[in-house]
Amino acid sequence: MRILFALLLCVIPMPSGLADAQEVEAPEPNIACADCPTFISVPNPPPAMRRISHVAAFELTWNEYLAAYDAGACPIPRSDHGFSERRELDAHIDLFRIDWPATLLGPEEVECYADWLSDKIGRTVAIPTTQEWLWFARSGRATGRFPWGDNPDAGSAAIGGLSAIQDGTRDHEVRVPYLTWSQARHVNRYLSAVKVGQYPPTEWGLFDVFGNAWELTSDVSNRTAPENAPQPNMFAGAKRVRIVGQSHGLVEWRQADMAGNPNYAMIFDGRYSTGVAVRFILIE
C-alpha cells in the first residue's frame, strides 16, 4: 500500500506555489537497506527548501537505531529517564528491540545515527526544518491543523482510541504488541509514544505525523533564562529545539495542532528535556 502511495505522487496535483512548475517524477519509493527506515518518495518541495527526495514513513524506531548500535557505530543513549544508572539501561537493551519511536536519544545519538545511515545508503540523511516538516506532514498544503485538514471532526475515526489514553490504563488498540503497557513502562517510564504505524498515513504515505511522539526539527536556538528565574545560571549554555507533531497523550487531540502551537524541547547536558522522536529526510 505504501508503494502505491509513492507511485501515485507523480500525478497528485500540488497547490499553487507549493511545488515546482515542472512535472514531478516519483523516484524509487523505498531505499533498499536491511534494518533501515522505510523512505517514501515525495514531490519536489518549494524552491525555498532543500531538495528533499524522500521522507521516512515512520519515526525512527528502537529496532532501527539498535542496528547502528549492533554495528558498533552508535552508543546506547545516556538517559536518566526511568533508569538510575546507565548500566541498568544496558542490561535491559533487548527489551527495546521494538517498533516504538526511539524517544530517549540525545542530540549526539541522533547525529550519530544520521551519519551512520548516510554512509550505509550513500545518501544525505538529515533532520527536517520546521518549514520542511510542515510541508510534507500537510502533503504539500499551505496550512492544516491535522493531516486531513482543519476540521477536527474528520479525524474522529482516524484517532480512535485516544480517549482511552486519558483514563490512565492505556488499555486500547494502540499499544506494543508483545508487552503490556505496564511492563513497557517498567522498562522505560518515559517511552513517550506508542507503536509506530498505528495512526493512518497522510496522502503521501507518512504515518504518525500527528498523535504519536513529538518530532524533532533542525531549528535550534539559544535558550535565555527568564529574568525572574530563581537560578538563572542553572541551564547556562542550554539551547532549545522546535518540536512538532504532538505527543499522543499530552493534550486533548481536538485542541491540538501539528505545528505544536509552537512548542520546544530544551537541550541540556547532552539530552533533550522531554521524550522526542525524529523522522529523517533524504536530500538530493
Side-chain angles (χ1 to χ4, degrees):
M1 189 66 180
R2 291 195 293 272
I3 293 177
L4 178 60
F5 272 118
L7 294 178
L8 288 176
L9 292 179
C10 60
V11 297
I12 294 176
M14 294 290 291
S16 176
L18 288 182
D20 295 335
Q22 64 196 42
E23 183 178 353
V24 174
E25 294 185 3
E28 70 275 13
N30 300 316
I31 304 299
C33 172
D35 300 319
C36 293
T38 297
F39 284 97
I40 300 297
S41 60
V42 295
N44 290 336
M49 298 181 191
R50 292 176 291 181
R51 298 293 86 196
I52 301 171
S53 64
H54 293 73
V55 177
F58 308 98
E59 296 154 342
L60 180 69
T61 69
W62 280 108
N63 272 329
E64 291 161 352
Y65 181 81
L66 290 178
Y69 165 74
D70 292 339
C74 296
I76 294 175
R78 182 177 66 84
S79 174
D80 294 334
H81 292 318
F83 297 94
S84 58
E85 297 183 20
R86 171 70 172 271
R87 62 175 177 269
E88 187 178 350
L89 179 54
D90 290 344
H92 291 92
I93 195 62
D94 283 343
L95 291 178
F96 281 83
R97 297 184 186 278
I98 54 179
D99 291 325
W100 285 33
T103 55
L104 291 183
L105 305 184
E108 292 184 4
E109 288 84 29
V110 171
E111 182 178 356
C112 178
Y113 183 85
D115 291 343
W116 175 79
L117 186 59
S118 295
D119 291 341
K120 186 176 179 67
I121 64 177
R123 303 288 296 271
T124 300
V125 178
I127 302 171
T129 66
T130 302
Q131 182 186 28
E132 291 166 345
W133 191 96
L134 289 172
W135 168 72
F136 63 68
R138 291 167 172 164
S139 299
R141 296 184 181 88
T143 61
R145 285 181 58 200
F146 309 105
W148 56 85
D150 291 316
N151 181 7
D153 293 333
S156 296
I159 309 299
L162 280 191
S163 60
I165 289 176
Q166 307 300 331
D167 65 14
T169 66
R170 269 66 175 185
D171 186 17
H172 58 100
E173 70 271 20
V174 183
R175 62 189 178 195
V176 67
Y178 60 90
L179 291 174
T180 66
W181 180 271
S182 60
Q183 288 173 326
R185 294 277 283 186
H186 178 71
V187 175
N188 172 14
R189 301 173 192 170
Y190 293 88
L191 280 171
S192 304
V194 295
K195 184 177 183 289
V196 299
Q198 299 297 301
Y199 294 90
T202 65
E203 292 177 24
W204 291 1
L206 309 177
F207 290 77
D208 306 331
V209 297
F210 175 84
N212 198 348
W214 289 108
E215 295 188 17
L216 291 170
T217 72
S218 61
D219 295 334
V220 178
S221 58
N222 292 325
R223 179 189 182 278
T224 303
E227 294 183 0
N228 60 348
Q231 296 177 289
N233 296 323
M234 181 177 179
F235 298 111
K239 296 182 180 296
R240 65 178 191 171
V241 57
R242 178 75 184 274
I243 56 177
V244 285
Q246 295 291 347
S247 171
H248 74 288
L250 182 62
V251 295
E252 204 281 322
W253 73 269
R254 291 175 181 273
Q255 306 302 320
D257 188 305
M258 284 195 300
N261 297 323
N263 209 337
Y264 297 87
M266 189 170 67
I267 302 174
F268 176 70
D269 194 26
R271 292 168 291 171
Y272 296 109
S273 59
T274 187
V276 288
V278 60
R279 184 186 303 267
F280 289 110
I281 57 176
L282 301 184
I283 306 295
E284 292 180 346

